[in-house]
Amino acid sequence: MKINKKTILIGCYILSLILILTGVIFKINHWDAPYLSLLEVGLLSSLLFMVLAIAEIVTSKRIDTGEKILWVMGFLVMSTVAGLIYLLSGRKTVVEQKPKEIS
C-alpha cells in the first residue's frame, strides 16, 4: 500500500470522526471509560487533518486567492463539513495532478 498525502488526510479525518463520536457517546452516557483521552486524540487528529489540508490549499497553484480564503474559512468554522466536502470533491480541483508520461 502506497502511503501518500491523500491516504494520510483520509486516515486523519476518519480517525478523528470515530474517536470524537466515541468519546461523545461515552460522555453522554456517563460510562466509566477514558472518554477524555478519546476526545483529546480525536481533536489532535482533526487538527492534524486541518493543518495538512490548509497547507495543501494555500500552496496550490490551481485555485485563486479568493477560493483559498473560502476554503480556509470553511475549515476554521466548520471543519467536519468542510473536510468531508474537501475530501469528496474539492481536493480534485486543489491538488495539481502530475501529467502521465507516455512511454
Side-chain angles (χ1 to χ4, degrees):
M1 178 179 175
K2 183 179 177 183
I3 297 178
N4 56 17
K5 202 178 253 189
K6 181 178 181 180
T7 307
I8 293 172
L9 280 172
I10 292 172
C12 286
Y13 184 77
I14 292 172
L15 179 68
S16 67
L17 276 180
I18 291 171
L19 291 176
I20 289 173
L21 290 175
T22 305
V24 166
I25 290 170
F26 275 64
K27 175 74 173 164
I28 290 172
N29 291 320
H30 301 289
W31 291 338
D32 292 330
Y35 62 85
L36 189 58
S37 61
L38 287 173
L39 289 173
E40 290 171 350
V41 173
L43 289 174
L44 286 175
S45 178
S46 180
L47 182 65
L48 176 64
F49 169 74
M50 284 177 43
V51 167
L52 290 174
I54 289 173
E56 200 171 67
I57 290 167
V58 169
T59 58
S60 175
K61 292 178 173 64
R62 294 187 70 191
I63 57 175
D64 62 348
T65 306
E67 192 172 349
K68 289 179 184 181
I69 291 171
L70 289 175
W71 274 114
V72 171
M73 285 175 48
F75 272 106
L76 295 177
V77 175
M78 304 178 306
S79 62
T80 305
V81 175
L84 185 61
I85 293 170
Y86 180 72
L87 287 176
L88 293 178
S89 64
R91 190 168 190 276
K92 295 173 190 168
T93 61
V94 172
V95 177
E96 286 186 279
Q97 300 292 331
K98 295 179 182 174
K100 295 182 180 179
E101 294 181 18
I102 300 173
S103 5

XYZ file of all heavy atoms in Angstrom:
805
model
N 0.846 -1.191 0.000
C 0.000 0.000 0.000
C 0.878 1.236 0.000
O 1.777 1.375 0.817
C -0.902 -0.018 1.233
C -1.771 1.171 1.342
S -2.808 0.999 2.811
C -3.590 2.555 2.785
N 0.608 2.091 -0.928
C 1.383 3.312 -1.044
C 0.799 4.372 -0.117
O -0.392 4.655 -0.156
C 1.352 3.798 -2.489
C 2.185 5.018 -2.724
C 2.125 5.430 -4.174
C 2.921 6.695 -4.382
N 2.836 7.167 -5.752
N 1.647 4.907 0.748
C 1.195 5.954 1.660
C 1.550 7.302 1.043
O 2.712 7.613 0.841
C 1.839 5.804 3.046
C 1.409 4.488 3.679
C 1.459 6.978 3.933
C 2.008 4.216 5.014
N 0.527 8.072 0.724
C 0.737 9.402 0.188
C -0.081 10.396 0.998
O -0.713 10.038 1.991
C 0.384 9.440 -1.310
C -1.031 8.963 -1.572
O -1.858 8.901 -0.679
N -1.304 8.617 -2.813
N -0.082 11.630 0.573
C -0.772 12.674 1.324
C -2.284 12.430 1.394
O -2.906 12.676 2.422
C -0.486 14.038 0.698
C -0.689 15.189 1.646
C -0.343 16.496 0.972
C 0.959 16.999 1.523
N 1.261 18.357 1.078
N -2.863 11.925 0.320
C -4.301 11.662 0.310
C -4.659 10.583 1.332
O -5.648 10.707 2.051
C -4.752 11.235 -1.087
C -6.235 10.981 -1.179
C -6.645 10.599 -2.582
C -8.152 10.376 -2.647
N -8.582 10.005 -3.983
N -3.848 9.543 1.419
C -4.093 8.478 2.382
C -4.005 8.996 3.807
O -4.830 8.640 4.660
C -3.073 7.342 2.177
O -3.095 6.932 0.817
C -3.378 6.158 3.067
N -3.045 9.846 4.075
C -2.892 10.426 5.413
C -4.074 11.326 5.738
O -4.610 11.284 6.848
C -1.559 11.190 5.514
C -0.383 10.211 5.417
C -1.476 11.974 6.819
C 0.961 10.859 5.304
N -4.508 12.145 4.781
C -5.664 13.023 5.007
C -6.926 12.227 5.320
O -7.630 12.529 6.280
C -5.900 13.910 3.779
C -5.021 15.132 3.633
C -5.243 15.777 2.279
C -5.264 16.120 4.732
N -7.195 11.214 4.524
C -8.391 10.400 4.750
C -8.299 9.671 6.086
O -9.273 9.604 6.838
C -8.596 9.419 3.573
C -8.962 10.196 2.319
C -9.667 8.387 3.906
C -9.004 9.359 1.062
N -7.129 9.130 6.403
C -6.941 8.433 7.671
C -7.154 9.341 8.872
O -7.821 8.965 9.839
N -6.594 10.549 8.810
C -6.775 11.513 9.906
C -8.234 11.907 10.064
O -8.739 12.014 11.184
C -5.929 12.758 9.675
S -4.189 12.526 9.966
N -8.917 12.103 8.948
C -10.318 12.508 9.003
C -11.184 11.417 9.615
O -11.976 11.659 10.522
C -10.819 12.865 7.603
C -12.237 13.376 7.592
C -12.516 14.676 7.982
C -13.289 12.558 7.208
C -13.812 15.152 7.985
C -14.584 13.029 7.205
C -14.841 14.326 7.595
O -16.124 14.794 7.611
N -11.018 10.186 9.141
C -11.821 9.073 9.655
C -11.490 8.803 11.120
O -12.386 8.587 11.938
C -11.620 7.822 8.778
C -12.239 8.056 7.401
C -12.209 6.582 9.437
C -11.946 6.979 6.391
N -10.204 8.816 11.471
C -9.799 8.594 12.857
C -10.388 9.642 13.786
O -10.906 9.327 14.860
C -8.275 8.580 12.970
C -7.708 8.372 14.363
C -8.010 6.959 14.832
C -6.219 8.629 14.374
N -10.347 10.898 13.369
C -10.881 11.958 14.217
C -12.390 11.813 14.394
O -12.906 11.982 15.501
C -10.538 13.334 13.653
O -11.202 13.571 12.438
N -13.113 11.479 13.333
C -14.559 11.281 13.451
C -14.896 10.138 14.401
O -15.747 10.276 15.279
C -15.170 10.990 12.082
C -15.523 12.169 11.212
C -16.115 11.699 9.898
C -16.469 13.107 11.891
N -14.226 9.010 14.242
C -14.504 7.844 15.082
C -14.201 8.139 16.542
O -15.010 7.855 17.436
C -13.710 6.624 14.582
C -14.260 6.151 13.243
C -13.743 5.490 15.611
C -13.418 5.095 12.563
N -13.031 8.724 16.818
C -12.644 8.969 18.206
C -13.515 10.032 18.874
O -13.906 9.877 20.034
C -11.174 9.361 18.282
C -10.189 8.248 17.954
C -8.767 8.776 17.970
C -10.322 7.094 18.919
N -13.826 11.084 18.153
C -14.649 12.144 18.746
C -16.062 11.630 19.011
O -16.619 11.851 20.092
C -14.664 13.392 17.846
C -13.292 14.073 17.903
C -15.752 14.374 18.267
C -13.119 15.210 16.931
N -16.649 10.931 18.048
C -18.002 10.403 18.258
C -18.039 9.364 19.383
O -18.968 9.353 20.195
C -18.545 9.809 16.965
C -18.865 10.818 15.868
C -19.289 10.101 14.596
C -19.923 11.799 16.320
N -17.032 8.505 19.462
C -16.972 7.525 20.543
C -16.822 8.218 21.892
O -17.508 7.862 22.862
C -15.803 6.549 20.321
O -15.933 5.949 19.035
C -15.782 5.470 21.379
N -15.948 9.207 21.963
C -15.776 9.953 23.208
C -17.043 10.677 23.630
O -17.389 10.719 24.819
N -17.756 11.236 22.672
C -19.006 11.941 22.978
C -20.060 10.962 23.490
O -20.775 11.252 24.453
C -19.506 12.703 21.729
C -20.940 13.168 21.892
C -18.598 13.890 21.448
N -20.169 9.798 22.860
C -21.134 8.790 23.316
C -20.809 8.345 24.743
O -21.698 8.226 25.585
C -21.166 7.591 22.342
C -21.810 8.011 21.027
C -21.910 6.403 22.951
C -21.687 6.994 19.917
N -19.529 8.115 25.033
C -19.127 7.732 26.390
C -19.466 8.841 27.382
O -19.922 8.569 28.489
C -17.628 7.426 26.434
C -17.284 6.022 26.042
C -17.537 5.556 24.763
C -16.692 5.163 26.950
C -17.222 4.269 24.394
C -16.364 3.863 26.591
C -16.633 3.410 25.300
N -19.253 10.067 26.999
C -19.515 11.199 27.885
C -21.017 11.358 28.136
O -21.447 11.566 29.276
C -18.939 12.480 27.260
C -19.226 13.746 27.995
C -18.408 13.859 29.236
C -18.613 15.248 29.847
N -18.163 15.301 31.192
N -21.818 11.280 27.099
C -23.265 11.455 27.235
C -23.873 10.373 28.121
O -24.737 10.638 28.950
C -23.944 11.483 25.848
C -23.585 12.771 25.119
C -25.458 11.354 25.974
C -24.043 12.820 23.682
N -23.413 9.145 27.951
C -23.963 8.032 28.714
C -23.337 7.876 30.104
O -23.719 6.972 30.837
C -23.814 6.725 27.934
C -24.711 6.690 26.730
O -25.853 7.132 26.788
N -24.209 6.175 25.630
N -22.391 8.706 30.441
C -21.708 8.685 31.734
C -21.059 7.333 32.017
O -21.083 6.841 33.138
C -22.675 9.051 32.875
C -23.298 10.396 32.720
N -22.600 11.563 32.881
C -24.568 10.757 32.390
C -23.397 12.588 32.671
N -24.600 12.129 32.355
N -20.500 6.727 30.982
C -19.808 5.461 31.159
C -18.431 5.729 31.724
O -17.770 6.710 31.380
C -19.685 4.718 29.834
C -20.987 4.215 29.302
C -22.127 3.972 30.008
C -21.281 3.904 27.952
N -23.121 3.518 29.185
C -22.624 3.468 27.898
C -20.565 3.943 26.775
C -23.244 3.066 26.737
C -21.181 3.549 25.616
C -22.511 3.111 25.596
N -17.961 4.840 32.588
C -16.620 4.975 33.157
C -15.609 4.461 32.144
O -15.356 3.258 32.051
C -16.501 4.190 34.466
C -17.342 4.806 35.562
O -17.531 6.035 35.530
O -17.812 4.067 36.446
N -15.086 5.342 31.402
C -14.103 4.997 30.375
C -13.246 6.231 30.123
O -13.609 7.342 30.493
C -14.802 4.556 29.108
N -12.119 6.029 29.489
C -11.239 7.173 29.210
C -11.738 8.023 28.042
O -11.050 8.213 27.053
C -9.907 6.510 28.890
C -10.294 5.190 28.321
C -11.532 4.779 29.063
N -12.981 8.521 28.151
C -13.559 9.293 27.050
C -12.797 10.587 26.807
O -12.727 11.069 25.696
C -15.040 9.595 27.292
C -15.328 10.423 28.509
C -15.261 11.796 28.448
C -15.647 9.826 29.721
C -15.496 12.571 29.564
C -15.899 10.588 30.833
C -15.824 11.958 30.757
O -16.051 12.719 31.861
N -12.224 11.145 27.878
C -11.484 12.395 27.707
C -10.266 12.181 26.817
O -9.998 12.993 25.931
C -11.072 12.965 29.068
C -10.487 14.363 29.041
C -11.475 15.343 28.429
C -10.106 14.808 30.428
N -9.560 11.082 27.001
C -8.405 10.826 26.142
C -8.847 10.519 24.707
O -8.146 10.865 23.759
C -7.555 9.689 26.699
O -8.300 8.501 26.764
N -10.012 9.881 24.542
C -10.537 9.659 23.193
C -10.826 10.990 22.503
O -10.501 11.179 21.337
C -11.819 8.823 23.235
C -11.689 7.343 23.549
C -13.060 6.712 23.709
C -10.911 6.640 22.464
N -11.447 11.893 23.244
C -11.734 13.212 22.678
C -10.451 13.970 22.354
O -10.350 14.618 21.310
C -12.597 14.024 23.638
C -14.046 13.568 23.798
C -14.724 14.361 24.905
C -14.797 13.725 22.500
N -9.461 13.891 23.237
C -8.199 14.603 23.002
C -7.476 14.079 21.769
O -7.014 14.858 20.931
C -7.295 14.482 24.229
C -7.788 15.257 25.425
C -7.006 14.948 26.683
O -6.197 13.993 26.683
O -7.194 15.671 27.674
N -7.382 12.762 21.642
C -6.711 12.185 20.475
C -7.515 12.490 19.205
O -6.939 12.795 18.155
C -6.500 10.661 20.657
C -5.954 10.031 19.392
C -5.573 10.396 21.828
N -8.840 12.440 19.299
C -9.680 12.787 18.154
C -9.505 14.229 17.728
O -9.427 14.531 16.534
N -9.421 15.130 18.700
C -9.211 16.546 18.373
C -7.821 16.785 17.786
O -7.659 17.595 16.876
C -9.438 17.411 19.606
C -10.895 17.516 20.065
C -10.990 18.274 21.387
C -11.749 18.178 19.010
N -6.813 16.084 18.300
C -5.463 16.207 17.725
C -5.428 15.679 16.290
O -4.800 16.286 15.418
C -4.446 15.470 18.587
C -4.077 16.137 19.897
C -3.158 15.234 20.716
C -3.400 17.475 19.648
N -6.111 14.579 16.050
C -6.186 14.038 14.695
C -6.922 15.002 13.765
O -6.525 15.209 12.619
C -6.888 12.686 14.722
O -7.016 12.173 13.437
N -7.980 15.604 14.272
C -8.728 16.594 13.492
C -7.866 17.817 13.197
O -7.893 18.359 12.090
C -9.985 16.995 14.246
O -10.718 17.941 13.520
N -7.097 18.241 14.183
C -6.198 19.384 13.991
C -5.124 19.063 12.955
O -4.815 19.894 12.099
C -5.566 19.779 15.330
C -4.648 20.976 15.315
C -5.423 22.238 14.966
C -3.963 21.134 16.661
N -4.572 17.857 13.017
C -3.575 17.442 12.029
C -4.179 17.442 10.628
O -3.562 17.915 9.671
C -3.020 16.059 12.374
C -2.033 15.468 11.382
C -0.770 16.312 11.316
C -1.711 14.037 11.750
N -5.399 16.927 10.504
C -6.084 16.926 9.212
C -6.264 18.352 8.697
O -5.998 18.641 7.530
C -7.441 16.230 9.337
C -8.320 16.421 8.140
C -8.061 15.755 6.967
C -9.393 17.297 8.174
C -8.852 15.934 5.845
C -10.191 17.479 7.073
C -9.920 16.796 5.908
N -6.722 19.249 9.575
C -6.944 20.639 9.157
C -5.650 21.299 8.713
O -5.624 22.003 7.700
C -7.580 21.438 10.300
C -9.040 21.157 10.488
S -9.788 22.017 11.892
C -9.128 23.649 11.788
N -4.569 21.098 9.453
C -3.280 21.713 9.109
C -2.790 21.199 7.757
O -2.350 21.982 6.902
C -2.243 21.456 10.224
C -0.845 21.796 9.770
C -2.605 22.244 11.475
N -2.858 19.887 7.548
C -2.414 19.324 6.269
C -3.274 19.813 5.103
O -2.754 20.161 4.041
C -2.446 17.796 6.329
C -1.409 17.125 7.216
C -1.669 15.625 7.297
C -0.014 17.397 6.714
N -4.584 19.854 5.305
C -5.475 20.295 4.228
C -5.286 21.781 3.927
O -5.237 22.178 2.756
C -6.923 20.003 4.606
N -5.172 22.599 4.962
C -4.972 24.039 4.746
C -3.635 24.295 4.071
O -3.533 25.134 3.169
C -5.116 24.813 6.073
C -6.590 24.817 6.501
C -4.591 26.233 5.945
C -6.837 25.411 7.878
N -2.593 23.554 4.461
C -1.291 23.706 3.806
C -1.381 23.328 2.333
O -0.783 23.987 1.468
C -0.250 22.843 4.511
N -2.133 22.288 2.033
C -2.313 21.872 0.645
C -3.068 22.930 -0.158
O -2.745 23.201 -1.304
C -3.091 20.548 0.652
C -2.973 19.732 -0.579
C -3.581 18.365 -0.402
O -4.821 18.274 -0.239
O -2.825 17.388 -0.429
N -4.058 23.544 0.469
C -4.855 24.572 -0.198
C -4.028 25.830 -0.442
O -4.027 26.391 -1.541
C -6.111 24.894 0.626
C -7.076 23.714 0.579
C -6.797 26.155 0.134
C -8.187 23.779 1.590
N -3.322 26.276 0.572
C -2.565 27.525 0.471
C -1.443 27.423 -0.563
O -1.160 28.385 -1.274
C -2.014 27.931 1.867
C -1.026 29.055 1.776
C -3.157 28.297 2.790
N -0.821 26.255 -0.689
C 0.287 26.104 -1.634
C -0.165 25.742 -3.043
O 0.661 25.631 -3.940
C 1.280 25.038 -1.138
O 0.589 23.801 -0.972
C 1.925 25.460 0.166
N -1.468 25.569 -3.252
C -1.980 25.187 -4.562
C -1.855 26.342 -5.558
O -2.091 27.499 -5.227
C -3.447 24.775 -4.451
O -3.972 24.527 -5.735
N -1.514 25.984 -6.775
C -1.418 26.976 -7.850
C -2.617 26.883 -8.793
O -2.734 27.650 -9.731
C -0.124 26.760 -8.632
C 1.112 27.073 -7.822
C 2.361 26.794 -8.630
C 3.619 27.226 -7.951
N 3.953 26.557 -6.735
N -3.519 25.947 -8.536
C -4.660 25.721 -9.424
C -5.874 26.564 -9.080
O -6.786 26.678 -9.906
C -5.045 24.254 -9.405
C -3.971 23.375 -10.010
C -4.419 21.973 -10.137
N -5.440 21.899 -11.189
C -6.175 20.833 -11.397
N -6.025 19.778 -10.658
N -7.079 20.825 -12.349
N -5.942 27.116 -7.880
C -7.102 27.922 -7.489
C -6.644 29.329 -7.133
O -5.493 29.551 -6.764
C -7.874 27.283 -6.307
C -6.970 27.071 -5.102
C -8.517 25.987 -6.728
C -7.703 26.569 -3.876
N -7.557 30.279 -7.268
C -7.202 31.668 -6.998
C -7.287 31.973 -5.495
O -7.744 31.164 -4.691
C -8.085 32.619 -7.805
C -9.560 32.499 -7.462
O -9.921 31.538 -6.766
O -10.335 33.366 -7.892
N -6.851 33.160 -5.132
C -6.755 33.566 -3.727
C -8.114 33.592 -3.035
O -8.233 33.187 -1.884
C -6.093 34.956 -3.621
O -4.849 34.913 -4.320
C -5.841 35.332 -2.185
N -9.141 34.045 -3.725
C -10.470 34.100 -3.132
C -10.981 32.721 -2.725
O -11.552 32.542 -1.648
N -10.759 31.748 -3.591
C -11.187 30.387 -3.278
C -10.366 29.798 -2.127
O -10.887 29.072 -1.285
C -11.078 29.507 -4.515
C -11.768 28.173 -4.362
C -11.817 27.374 -5.655
O -11.500 27.926 -6.727
O -12.177 26.203 -5.573
N -9.087 30.145 -2.086
C -8.238 29.686 -0.972
C -8.762 30.233 0.353
O -8.842 29.503 1.351
C -6.789 30.138 -1.176
C -6.075 29.415 -2.282
C -4.662 29.935 -2.435
C -3.967 29.290 -3.618
N -2.597 29.731 -3.786
N -9.125 31.505 0.358
C -9.643 32.127 1.583
C -10.939 31.458 2.012
O -11.146 31.178 3.202
C -9.833 33.646 1.375
C -8.466 34.331 1.240
C -10.628 34.260 2.521
C -8.535 35.775 0.816
N -11.824 31.147 1.061
C -13.076 30.473 1.386
C -12.839 29.081 1.968
O -13.503 28.693 2.932
C -13.968 30.400 0.155
C -14.577 31.720 -0.298
C -15.334 31.529 -1.601
C -15.486 32.275 0.768
N -11.913 28.332 1.397
C -11.607 27.013 1.932
C -11.062 27.113 3.354
O -11.474 26.351 4.241
C -10.601 26.283 1.050
C -11.212 25.526 -0.086
C -11.070 25.795 -1.412
C -12.068 24.385 -0.005
N -11.783 24.889 -2.157
C -12.400 24.005 -1.321
C -12.589 23.644 1.049
C -13.221 22.922 -1.601
C -13.412 22.563 0.766
C -13.712 22.213 -0.546
N -10.131 28.026 3.580
C -9.541 28.170 4.916
C -10.604 28.585 5.924
O -10.669 28.043 7.038
C -8.360 29.173 4.885
C -7.890 29.490 6.290
C -7.212 28.612 4.052
N -11.464 29.536 5.554
C -12.544 29.944 6.463
C -13.486 28.777 6.742
O -13.932 28.591 7.883
C -13.316 31.122 5.863
C -12.571 32.432 5.936
S -13.401 33.800 5.097
C -15.066 33.690 5.683
N -13.783 27.994 5.729
C -14.633 26.824 5.920
C -14.025 25.833 6.894
O -14.712 25.287 7.760
N -12.713 25.596 6.781
C -12.044 24.682 7.704
C -12.026 25.228 9.124
O -12.163 24.469 10.081
C -10.615 24.386 7.239
C -10.530 23.230 6.298
C -10.298 23.427 4.959
C -10.694 21.940 6.749
C -10.225 22.369 4.079
C -10.626 20.861 5.886
C -10.390 21.082 4.552
N -11.848 26.512 9.270
C -11.788 27.083 10.613
C -13.148 27.142 11.280
O -13.254 26.992 12.496
C -11.160 28.478 10.563
C -9.694 28.512 10.136
C -9.205 29.953 10.055
C -8.822 27.703 11.069
N -14.215 27.338 10.507
C -15.553 27.480 11.087
C -16.265 26.131 11.195
O -16.851 25.821 12.227
C -16.391 28.473 10.249
C -17.815 28.540 10.749
C -15.756 29.853 10.292
N -16.234 25.346 10.132
C -16.950 24.063 10.101
C -16.004 22.973 9.609
O -16.128 22.493 8.486
C -18.148 24.143 9.158
C -19.118 25.226 9.462
S -20.477 25.302 8.290
C -19.663 25.409 6.705
N -15.067 22.580 10.428
C -14.012 21.675 9.970
C -14.539 20.317 9.510
O -14.051 19.769 8.528
C -12.966 21.489 11.064
O -13.549 20.896 12.199
N -15.525 19.767 10.174
C -16.023 18.444 9.798
C -16.711 18.475 8.445
O -16.442 17.638 7.578
C -16.996 17.917 10.871
O -16.340 17.939 12.130
C -17.437 16.514 10.563
N -17.596 19.436 8.242
C -18.330 19.533 6.975
C -17.381 19.932 5.842
O -17.402 19.331 4.760
C -19.490 20.547 7.105
C -20.187 20.748 5.775
C -20.469 20.103 8.175
N -16.539 20.922 6.086
C -15.590 21.361 5.059
C -14.609 20.239 4.717
O -14.247 20.058 3.549
C -14.836 22.601 5.526
N -14.203 19.480 5.714
C -13.299 18.366 5.468
C -13.926 17.293 4.600
O -13.285 16.758 3.690
N -15.183 16.984 4.862
C -15.878 15.986 4.060
C -16.037 16.460 2.617
O -15.771 15.710 1.669
C -17.243 15.676 4.675
C -18.037 14.564 4.029
C -17.282 13.246 4.111
C -19.398 14.440 4.685
N -16.433 17.710 2.438
C -16.585 18.262 1.084
C -15.236 18.296 0.376
O -15.130 17.967 -0.806
C -17.221 19.669 1.144
C -18.663 19.570 1.634
C -17.166 20.351 -0.217
C -19.293 20.897 1.954
N -14.194 18.675 1.120
C -12.855 18.748 0.536
C -12.397 17.371 0.071
O -11.873 17.228 -1.037
C -11.873 19.319 1.562
C -10.467 19.434 1.062
C -10.128 20.397 0.118
C -9.468 18.598 1.519
C -8.840 20.519 -0.360
C -8.179 18.706 1.068
C -7.863 19.660 0.128
O -6.584 19.773 -0.340
N -12.590 16.357 0.895
C -12.136 15.019 0.521
C -12.952 14.433 -0.625
O -12.416 13.735 -1.483
C -12.193 14.083 1.727
C -11.132 14.316 2.787
C -11.345 13.393 3.967
C -9.738 14.129 2.221
N -14.260 14.690 -0.635
C -15.105 14.089 -1.662
C -15.009 14.774 -3.020
O -15.061 14.115 -4.052
C -16.564 14.065 -1.198
C -16.863 13.142 -0.020
C -18.327 13.241 0.373
C -16.489 11.710 -0.345
N -14.879 16.107 -3.026
C -14.884 16.764 -4.339
C -13.846 17.870 -4.489
O -13.304 18.048 -5.567
C -16.274 17.338 -4.629
O -16.566 18.349 -3.696
N -13.593 18.623 -3.457
C -12.737 19.798 -3.587
C -11.277 19.512 -3.810
O -10.574 20.275 -4.470
N -10.783 18.402 -3.302
C -9.353 18.115 -3.410
C -8.929 17.916 -4.862
O -7.809 18.219 -5.237
C -9.018 16.876 -2.593
C -7.546 16.647 -2.439
C -7.249 15.589 -1.396
N -5.834 15.580 -1.128
C -4.951 14.913 -1.856
N -5.341 14.225 -2.895
N -3.662 14.959 -1.548
N -9.837 17.438 -5.689
C -9.519 17.215 -7.103
C -9.179 18.517 -7.812
O -8.351 18.534 -8.713
C -10.695 16.538 -7.802
C -10.983 15.161 -7.292
C -12.257 14.622 -7.894
C -12.647 13.340 -7.184
N -13.994 12.921 -7.522
N -9.825 19.617 -7.403
C -9.545 20.897 -8.047
C -8.368 21.621 -7.416
O -7.795 22.510 -8.030
C -10.775 21.822 -7.988
O -11.102 22.069 -6.620
C -11.954 21.209 -8.695
N -8.003 21.259 -6.206
C -6.934 21.964 -5.488
C -5.570 21.376 -5.797
O -4.613 22.099 -6.043
C -7.197 21.937 -3.966
C -6.020 22.488 -3.201
C -8.452 22.713 -3.632
N -5.474 20.069 -5.789
C -4.182 19.400 -5.947
C -3.825 19.300 -7.420
O -4.637 18.925 -8.252
C -4.232 17.986 -5.328
C -2.919 17.257 -5.545
C -4.562 18.075 -3.854
N -2.589 19.641 -7.711
C -2.111 19.524 -9.082
C -1.839 18.073 -9.400
O -1.148 17.381 -8.657
C -0.835 20.325 -9.273
C -1.043 21.807 -9.322
C 0.218 22.531 -9.657
O 1.029 22.723 -8.744
O 0.399 22.894 -10.826
N -2.386 17.611 -10.474
C -2.122 16.251 -10.928
C -0.921 16.287 -11.856
O -0.853 17.072 -12.781
C -3.336 15.682 -11.671
C -4.584 15.629 -10.830
C -4.477 14.616 -9.708
O -3.778 13.634 -9.817
N -5.167 14.905 -8.611
N 0.043 15.417 -11.584
C 1.213 15.334 -12.453
C 0.817 14.652 -13.750
O 0.127 13.631 -13.738
C 2.333 14.546 -11.756
C 2.846 15.240 -10.525
C 3.911 14.430 -9.869
C 4.375 15.128 -8.616
N 5.319 14.332 -7.852
N 1.228 15.199 -14.882
C 0.857 14.570 -16.151
C 1.519 13.202 -16.275
O 2.657 13.009 -15.880
C 1.378 15.541 -17.204
C 2.334 16.424 -16.509
C 2.001 16.400 -15.047
N 0.779 12.261 -16.844
C 1.323 10.915 -17.035
C 2.294 10.928 -18.196
O 2.047 11.556 -19.218
C 0.191 9.927 -17.287
C -0.730 9.762 -16.115
C -1.795 8.736 -16.436
C -2.714 8.578 -15.243
N -3.777 7.621 -15.511
N 3.375 10.202 -17.998
C 4.376 10.118 -19.057
C 3.970 9.037 -20.050
O 3.486 7.977 -19.680
C 5.740 9.785 -18.468
C 6.284 10.888 -17.588
C 7.656 10.529 -17.036
O 8.303 9.603 -17.596
O 8.076 11.151 -16.080
N 4.153 9.339 -21.306
C 3.843 8.377 -22.355
C 5.119 7.614 -22.680
O 6.138 8.206 -22.981
C 3.305 9.082 -23.609
C 2.049 9.848 -23.257
C 3.063 8.081 -24.719
C 1.528 10.722 -24.383
N 5.047 6.289 -22.573
C 6.256 5.508 -22.857
C 6.235 4.905 -24.222
O 5.298 4.682 -24.860
C 6.469 4.390 -21.872
O 5.499 4.185 -20.951
